[in-house]
């Protein structure tokens, strides 16, 4: 498998899932610090000891050791996020918290030491709690101003250190999980379509504003949007199912449309009109949206199936519902595994926008067993190697056979961390095992899994070690 010479191989993490140190050096609380069980809720009054994210995997204190291990695998890029609450603890301050800024200086310097490019997400599911409580999160336009201040601050501070940026993680989740993706405290059951679309619009404007600021402050940087990609197939060739799939795909594509084209597509405007939604647009919003991204990034874990029959479309995993695909196996968490869906996603997005793409999340959440071999602790995670290999083979095909431009690939959770949807440690993605358990016990020691050596080889051979396997 041939990959471009400058292909950015690496892995991805998010501050709230791995940093820990939730209240150190002036950090304020984020919505995740009171969200101990993930999407299953509840939202607690205060941080509670059962919230694994408060300690995470303690990257905050172990970043040197961790980055050294990533470098050992040959990482060219490391996707991480900045915790907004380390920089602006409440979110609305005039001046930033110097200790927070200094922490990321150290992290980026450490990456630089090994020639690893940081790819930084500005907002990865962690709106400051104060803004969530005071303004109901991104339902309020006030957040645009606060976010712009935060973005300007970090662009200015890190302009010589960070050349790749992303705005909002999985921005299309805002309509499904408004607390996680936008800090909206009001339960989704009480939100009107107008509330949800307005929240989305406010994030769109903030995202485009961040693009504009990034281009002004760091002219040689590249900034992208980030969406969750769930390519949806018709459950059957019945034309009504094909239309159902088309509509499901539009619900996702509308997010990349706005970022890559700079305006709302007609089908999107009609959808809102049909729902009786009239957005509060301020003067200048349309102009700001014209600040389009330099590339499109996305997470890819699964595909979906759509059916015109509502009964058939129940029960898939992750955040989007859809019918189960009878041809695919699923992970232990019910996420259906579909490597070819990644090639399909790459082609769909590249055809539509002719813009470079970056796969910034992909991976298998699985239960790992730590064993001892010749006196060394490790995990024989062949299932993870197979999953990653098969997905990367499809990326290679998209590049070599279909002509898609792909900038890089950062697999999710390159070092074990707390999961986002279920807030547990047991669902592991990493090449590096972290000794921490769902009940909070564990030494936090790190161990190299079998996949660690496999990925090292894949990177060293620039994809040459990937194998096309029979399915
Ligand atoms: C994406 C999120 C990540 C991440 C990943 C895996 O939706 O951007 O933050 O965690 O999914 O999900 P989970 O951790 O729930 O397995």
């Amino acid at each position: 498998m041939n990959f471009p010479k400058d292909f950015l191989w690496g892995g991805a993490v998010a501050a709230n899932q791995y940093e820990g140190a939730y209240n150190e050096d002036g950090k304020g609380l984020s919505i995740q610090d009171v969200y101990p069980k993930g999407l299953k809720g509840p939202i607690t009054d205060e941080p509670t000891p059962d919230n694994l994210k408060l300690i995470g995997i303690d990257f905050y204190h172990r970043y040197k050791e961790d980055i050294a291990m990533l470098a050992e695998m040959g990482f060219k890029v490391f996707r991480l996020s900045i915790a907004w609450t380390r920089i602006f603890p409440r979110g609305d301050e005039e001046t930033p918290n110097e200790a927070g800024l200094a922490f990321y200086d150290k992290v980026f310097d450490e990456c630089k030491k090994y020639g690893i490019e940081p790819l930084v997400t500005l907002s990865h599911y962690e709106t400051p709690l104060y803004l969530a409580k005071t303004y109901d999160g991104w339902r309020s336009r006030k957040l645009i101003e606060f976010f712009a201040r935060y973005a300007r601050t970090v662009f200015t501070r890190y302009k010589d250190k960070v050349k790749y940026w992303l705005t909002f993680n999985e921005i299309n989740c805002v309509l499904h999980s408004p607390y996680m993706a936008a800090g909206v405290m009001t339960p989704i059951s009480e939100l009107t379509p107008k509330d949800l679309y307005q929240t989305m619009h406010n994030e769109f404007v903030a995202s485009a504003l961040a693009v504009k600021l990034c281009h002004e402050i760091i002219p040689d940087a590249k900034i992208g949007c980030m969406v969750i990609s769930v390519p949806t197939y018709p459950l059957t060739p019945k034309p009504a199912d094909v239309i159902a799939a088309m509509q499901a795909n539009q619900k996702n594509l509308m997010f990349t449309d706005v970022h890559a084209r700079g305006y709302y597509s007609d089908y999107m405007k009609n959808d809102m009109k049909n729902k009786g939604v009239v957005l509060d647009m301020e003067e200048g919003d349309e102009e700001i949206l014209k600040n389009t991204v330099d590339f499109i990034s996305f997470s890819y874990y699964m595909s979906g199936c759509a059916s015109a029959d509502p009964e058939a479309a129940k029960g898939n995993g992750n955040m989007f519902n859809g019918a189960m695909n009878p041809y695919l196996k699923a992970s232990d968490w019910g996420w259906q595994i579909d490597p070819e869906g990644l090639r399909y996603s790459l082609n769909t997005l590249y055809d539509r926008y002719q813009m470079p793409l970056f796969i910034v999340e992909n991976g298998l959440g699985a239960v790992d067993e730590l064993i001892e071999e010749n006196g060394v602790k490790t995990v024989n995670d062949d299932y993870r190697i197979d999953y990653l290999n098969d997905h990367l083979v499809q990326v290679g095909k998209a590049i070599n056979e279909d002509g898609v431009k792909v900038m890089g690939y950062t697999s999710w959770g390159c070092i074990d961390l707390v999961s986002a949807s279920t807030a547990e440690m047991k669902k592991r993605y990493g090449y590096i095992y972290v000794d921490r358990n769902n009940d909070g016990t564990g030494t936090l020691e790190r161990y190299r899994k079998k996949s660690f050596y496999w990925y090292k080889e894949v990177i060293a051979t620039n994809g040459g070690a990937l194998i096309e396997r029979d399915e």
Side-chain angles (χ1 to χ4, degrees):
M1 225 16 96
N2 284 323
F3 280 73
K5 256 201 341 275
D6 53 356
F7 193 77
L8 291 165
W9 296 98
V13 293
N16 76 86
Q17 293 171 254
Y18 87 135
E19 278 183 4
Y22 79 102
N23 61 357
E24 281 183 49
D25 297 331
K27 181 183 171 296
L29 295 181
S30 89
I31 53 163
Q32 294 289 347
D33 297 322
V34 292
Y35 202 41
K37 300 290 171 229
L39 290 175
K40 297 261 175 313
I43 300 164
T44 54
D45 291 338
E46 288 183 3
T48 49
D50 61 337
N51 187 345
L52 293 175
K53 289 170 274 190
L54 304 182
I55 294 175
I57 57 157
D58 197 31
F59 175 84
Y60 193 77
H61 299 110
R62 295 166 193 251
Y63 66 93
K64 285 193 178 172
E65 178 195 346
D66 290 344
I67 294 170
M69 287 176 96
L70 304 180
E72 191 185 326
M73 272 186 279
F75 272 36
K76 314 275 184 229
V77 65
F78 180 35
R79 176 182 174 223
L80 68 160
S81 69
I82 295 178
W84 184 350
T85 49
R86 285 201 192 283
I87 313 300
F88 291 97
R90 270 197 334 242
D92 67 344
E93 294 89 340
E94 297 280 335
T95 46
N97 170 31
E98 176 54 33
L101 287 166
F103 169 66
Y104 294 105
D105 266 325
K106 289 188 288 185
V107 170
F108 300 145
D109 288 346
E110 203 64 19
C111 289
K112 191 161 178 227
K113 190 165 122 188
Y114 299 104
I116 298 174
E117 290 283 349
L119 163 61
V120 175
T121 318
L122 290 171
S123 181
H124 193 128
Y125 290 160
E126 49 182 312
T127 306
L129 185 61
Y130 175 82
L131 300 184
K133 286 188 168 169
T134 313
Y135 300 98
D136 214 8
W138 282 94
R139 266 181 81 188
S140 164
R141 286 189 70 100
K142 280 298 276 181
L143 267 75
I144 300 174
E145 171 194 332
F146 303 140
F147 184 76
R149 190 180 301 150
Y150 158 61
R152 187 181 293 112
T153 303
V154 295
F155 291 149
T156 307
R157 175 77 170 219
Y158 306 122
K159 64 180 185 313
D160 297 326
K161 301 182 183 182
V162 180
K163 301 294 179 187
Y164 295 96
W165 296 87
L166 301 176
T167 58
F168 290 89
N169 182 65
E170 297 185 336
I171 189 165
N172 44 339
C173 282
V174 68
L175 299 179
H176 309 267
S177 310
Y179 179 75
M180 184 119 124
V184 176
M185 303 288 294
T186 304
I188 191 164
S189 53
E190 292 169 27
L191 295 171
T192 63
K194 160 77 191 276
D195 295 331
L196 285 168
Y197 282 106
Q198 190 63 44
T199 305
M200 170 194 78
H201 177 72
N202 295 342
E203 285 199 351
F204 277 154
V205 173
S207 181
L209 208 49
V211 171
K212 180 171 186 283
L213 289 168
C214 182
H215 287 157
E216 285 165 7
I217 300 169
I218 330 178
D220 61 337
K222 291 199 186 311
I223 181 159
C225 58
M226 198 299 200
V227 295
I228 177 167
S229 177
V230 184
T232 303
Y233 313 139
L235 185 62
T236 74
K238 232 190 282 169
D241 284 357
V242 175
I243 296 294
M246 178 192 84
Q247 287 168 337
N249 284 319
Q250 283 178 336
K251 288 205 175 73
N252 274 332
L253 290 168
M254 66 187 197
F255 286 83
T256 39
D257 280 358
V258 173
H259 280 98
R261 295 173 173 165
Y263 53 87
Y264 285 89
S265 306
D266 288 338
Y267 67 84
M268 210 171 164
K269 288 188 195 155
N270 275 311
D271 181 46
M272 288 193 259
K273 201 165 106 198
N274 294 338
K275 293 188 170 108
V277 173
V278 181
L279 288 179
D280 297 331
M281 284 253 194
E282 283 195 5
E283 216 187 309
D285 280 8
E286 287 185 359
E287 215 36 48
I288 292 170
L289 291 181
K290 289 183 189 153
N291 290 284
T292 51
V293 290
D294 302 312
F295 65 96
I296 290 167
S297 82
F298 64 93
S299 63
Y300 176 77
Y301 294 94
M302 72 191 86
S303 55
C305 281
S307 166
D309 169 9
E311 280 309 299
K314 283 189 179 153
N316 204 353
N318 209 14
M319 300 182 181
F320 299 103
N321 281 323
M324 294 302 269
N325 186 328
Y327 298 99
L328 300 176
K329 296 196 186 97
S331 77
D332 290 346
W333 274 261
W335 295 12
Q336 288 201 294
I337 301 169
D338 178 14
E340 279 149 314
L342 177 53
R343 179 178 180 181
Y344 184 77
S345 273
L346 287 165
N347 273 276
T348 304
L349 293 169
Y350 190 65
D351 262 4
R352 198 171 173 104
Y353 308 113
Q354 302 285 300
M355 223 178 230
L357 305 175
F358 208 137
I359 302 148
V360 295
E361 286 187 31
N362 172 237
L364 180 69
V367 180
D368 286 340
E369 192 196 346
L370 190 65
I371 55 162
E372 196 156 320
E373 259 179 13
N374 308 321
V376 179
K377 286 191 178 156
T378 187
V379 175
N380 279 329
D381 53 347
D382 290 301
Y383 39 91
R384 182 168 294 111
I385 294 172
D386 288 348
Y387 178 103
L388 295 168
N389 174 81
D390 294 352
H391 282 77
L392 279 166
V393 164
Q394 296 300 324
V395 177
K397 287 189 179 188
I399 294 171
N400 295 304
E401 294 179 27
D402 311 331
V404 177
K405 302 274 178 296
V406 186
M407 296 163 68
Y409 173 89
T410 57
S411 62
W412 176 250
C414 47
I415 176 162
D416 289 347
L417 38 63
V418 182
S419 91
S421 55
T422 52
E424 58 185 335
M425 272 309 295
K426 194 173 156 195
K427 189 180 189 188
R428 296 171 184 274
Y429 288 86
Y431 306 109
I432 300 164
Y433 184 94
V434 177
D435 182 14
R436 188 154 200 244
N437 307 306
N438 273 3
D439 61 4
T441 58
T443 60
L444 291 167
E445 284 300 299
R446 276 69 164 144
Y447 302 103
R448 291 163 185 77
K449 302 182 193 176
K450 188 173 175 185
S451 57
F452 180 100
Y453 301 100
W454 168 83
Y455 198 42
K456 184 176 177 183
E457 182 66 12
V458 170
I459 298 175
T461 57
N462 201 26
L466 297 169
I467 298 166
E468 202 167 334
R469 302 181 318 128
D470 291 337
E471 290 184 21

